[in-house]
Amino acid sequence: QIIHESVEPALAEGLPYPVNGIKFTTVDFGSSPPIFDNIDVFTQTETNSIKLNIDLAFHSKDCEITLKGKVIKAGVEGITLKGRLSLLLSPLINTLPLVGAVQVAFINPPTIDIDFTGIANIADWKIVDAKIQEIVQSQLGAMMILPNRMLTTLAPCNNYLETYKPPLGM
């Protein structure tokens, strides 16, 4: 859903013809799981919450992402993503799942490397790769690089202000 609502329009705006009308036809990130490491847990945060800072590394060489445009068909065969995530679990509740909501954000912009296939191999060219990186970073930043966070509710909460906690200083 995020790809169709956010990424496709940004690509349509930022890329020249004939590649500006591309649509995602297949999105499969492969069988490689993300690796979480270097986990810091903070319990002395905002009231009624737990904060986790986690290193995330995702490397998939068997992903299958296919894009089809007006004139071309292209794809992605590999993705590497590395960054430091911040998870805020709040509010803590007395019933399962014990957490009312989770807010996720990257502390700093993550590094992303995309390996293209087919006609999209032109994206491995420095100037095209730079434009694609700019689009991906801007879309990611608008959604989940601090101070922006992606909020997912896990249990019904009565009070939005109790569920959403803005980053410190905001």
Side-chain angles (χ1 to χ4, degrees), residues 81 106 109-110 112 135-145 148:
L81 172 78
F106 283 100
I112 301 170
I135 292 168
V136 169
Q137 289 290 353
S138 70
Q139 290 302 304
L140 195 57
M143 293 184 306
M144 56 183 300
I145 296 176
N148 300 318

Side-chain angles (χ1 to χ4, degrees), residues 49-67:
S49 63
I50 297 173
K51 181 179 174 185
L52 304 164
N53 288 344
I54 303 169
D55 286 342
L56 166 69
F58 177 71
H59 181 69
S60 177
K61 279 292 193 186
D62 64 341
C63 69
E64 183 184 347
I65 300 174
T66 309
L67 301 101

Side-chain angles (χ1 to χ4, degrees), residues 19-148:
V19 292
N20 67 347
I22 61 174
K23 302 279 185 204
F24 288 84
T25 56
T26 306
V27 178
D28 179 2
F29 289 103
S31 60
S32 301
I35 297 170
F36 300 101
D37 193 16
N38 193 20
I39 301 171
D40 296 323
V41 179
F42 303 94
T43 55
Q44 301 298 318
T45 61
E46 295 92 347
T47 307
N48 199 22
S49 63
I50 297 173
K51 181 179 174 185
L52 304 164
N53 288 344
I54 303 169
D55 286 342
L56 166 69
F58 177 71
H59 181 69
S60 177
K61 279 292 193 186
D62 64 341
C63 69
E64 183 184 347
I65 300 174
T66 309
L67 301 101
K68 188 174 181 183
K70 299 171 188 167
V71 179
I72 63 166
K73 184 176 180 182
V76 174
E77 66 180 0
I79 297 176
T80 301
L81 172 78
K82 292 181 181 177
R84 184 111 174 122
L85 282 176
S86 174
L87 275 72
L88 183 63
L89 312 172
S90 176
L92 303 177
I93 55 178
N94 293 327
T95 58
L96 288 176
L98 303 177
V99 176
V102 176
Q103 294 182 60
V104 181
F106 283 100
I107 295 173
N108 293 310
T111 57
I112 301 170
D113 184 35
I114 303 171
D115 187 17
F116 294 93
T117 62
I119 191 74
N121 270 330
I122 65 165
D124 290 332
W125 297 350
K126 194 170 188 110
I127 193 162
V128 177
D129 186 51
K131 186 62 178 176
I132 290 174
Q133 288 290 337
E134 177 187 322
I135 292 168
V136 169
Q137 289 290 353
S138 70
Q139 290 302 304
L140 195 57
M143 293 184 306
M144 56 183 300
I145 296 176
L146 284 176
N148 300 318

